[in-house]
Amino acid sequence: MVTKIVKGCPPEIIKKRKDRIREALNITFEDANCPVKFVVDTLPDGTEVYFHKPGKEYFRTTPNLNDMSPNVGELFTKFSFADIWELLCKLRNAISLENYKKLSVILYRVAYLLDFDYVDGRVRFCPSKELTEEIQTIQNEIDSKGLNINILAFIHFIDILGWNDEMKTHATNEGLNFVTKKPRMGRINTILSCLSIPILLQEFVDEVIKNKDNKANIDFSIAINIAQTFARTRGVHPLPNKRLIELLSPELTE
């Protein structure tokens, strides 16, 4: 499942993103205090992938009328970015580096909707047989380590988390308003940040371990740069293509 880096944001990807925004805009509800449940997909084990609309940002002083709450069964509800990073950091130290790289690249592919197609006119996750087998291989190792993590459910959660972020960045209370000058804003930057932060945190952990006997040599710039970037970019930190290739090779290539 070697994946080539995506340069820019090709028109076919933007079209899928716009169509998904339109789909979400058409989800209606009668009472904001009784959110409607919108099922996106159902996993092979019966777990539902769904939104509750409206989400919490609907109730802010300056409301975001398009906000939704992404959920996958009972496994991923009210799941925060901190929860995502913690889960990925745990996996980084529990499973093989090869499988962790593969998982990161799968999330990269999800960011760009590479394994998504139109099903009854709606953009949905349609993994190939090869990708399905890769996901199962990762799941098998997770199970062998006694970790209670449904990796397919997690992948779907990351997808709809990114979908909801599109509603915050490329839609207004008046409807679709795709910011063509910043096509990576929204799901791409959000999902790439989800996979980038644990990688950077692990780099810092490795740096500390390497210098545990001589703490004065610890390079704190790794952690400081994360904090500085978050402060500058308001919570997103996607690594650039060159860096991702360096870290995820040979699964991700030029």
Side-chain angles (χ1 to χ4, degrees):
M1 192 197 64
V2 175
T3 298
K4 287 189 175 182
I5 205 82
V6 177
K7 297 180 179 179
C9 190
E12 61 270 21
I13 294 174
I14 291 178
K15 181 182 184 305
K16 289 179 182 179
R17 293 169 66 190
K18 286 182 176 180
D19 287 343
R20 274 195 145 188
I21 293 169
R22 292 188 185 98
E23 180 182 354
L25 287 171
N26 287 330
I27 303 172
T28 58
F29 54 89
E30 294 183 0
D31 182 355
N33 294 307
C34 296
V36 65
K37 180 180 181 180
F38 181 79
V39 177
V40 175
D41 210 339
T42 303
L43 305 187
D45 65 358
T47 300
E48 288 184 324
V49 181
Y50 63 95
F51 288 114
H52 276 144
K53 187 176 180 181
K56 61 183 180 181
E57 292 186 13
Y58 180 91
F59 300 97
R60 290 182 174 177
T61 303
T62 303
N64 175 3
L65 304 183
N66 301 313
D67 185 48
M68 304 180 291
S69 173
N71 304 274
V72 180
E74 301 299 322
L75 302 172
F76 300 101
T77 60
K78 299 181 180 179
F79 215 64
S80 68
F81 283 103
D83 293 323
I84 293 169
W85 297 328
E86 183 178 356
L87 184 151
L88 287 171
C89 286
K90 180 185 291 186
L91 286 176
R92 172 62 181 81
N93 290 280
I95 64 177
S96 68
L97 181 57
E98 178 185 5
N99 275 338
Y100 188 81
K101 285 185 177 183
K102 287 181 178 180
L103 174 58
S104 296
V105 172
I106 290 170
L107 297 182
Y108 178 89
R109 296 177 66 88
V110 168
Y112 285 96
L113 296 168
L114 298 185
D115 303 292
F116 291 69
D117 211 337
Y118 286 88
V119 179
D120 298 328
R122 303 181 302 175
V123 179
R124 293 294 183 268
F125 186 50
C126 298
S128 64
K129 180 181 178 183
E130 179 187 9
L131 182 56
T132 300
E133 290 174 349
E134 293 283 11
I135 293 171
Q136 187 58 53
T137 297
I138 297 169
Q139 185 67 58
N140 289 344
E141 185 177 9
I142 289 171
D143 293 344
S144 72
K145 300 297 173 64
L147 300 175
N148 183 26
I149 299 172
N150 183 327
I151 207 64
L152 180 60
F154 178 65
I155 290 167
H156 274 272
F157 176 76
I158 293 295
D159 167 42
I160 61 174
L161 176 75
W163 186 351
N164 189 50
D165 216 52
E166 299 277 68
M167 308 306 295
K168 301 177 184 181
T169 54
H170 294 295
T172 67
N173 291 343
E174 285 70 47
L176 175 66
N177 183 30
F178 197 90
V179 185
T180 55
K181 291 184 179 179
K182 297 181 178 180
R184 281 172 50 119
M185 186 171 69
R187 78 173 285 117
I188 294 176
N189 278 346
T190 294
I191 297 177
L192 293 189
S193 294
C194 286
L195 71 90
S196 296
I197 296 304
I199 291 173
L200 293 172
L201 290 175
Q202 186 63 45
E203 278 195 328
F204 182 61
V205 169
D206 292 342
E207 172 70 12
V208 171
I209 292 172
K210 183 179 72 174
N211 293 286
K212 63 182 176 61
D213 296 324
N214 194 347
K215 296 177 183 177
N217 288 337
I218 295 173
D219 181 7
F220 284 92
S221 68
I222 299 171
I224 292 169
N225 287 338
I226 295 174
Q228 186 177 39
T229 300
F230 268 134
R232 187 179 70 251
T233 61
R234 296 184 179 182
V236 293
H237 191 355
L239 288 170
N241 286 347
K242 184 177 180 180
R243 189 82 171 105
L244 285 173
I245 291 171
E246 175 188 335
L247 292 165
L248 300 178
S249 175
E251 306 303 328
L252 190 65
T253 65
E254 182 67 44

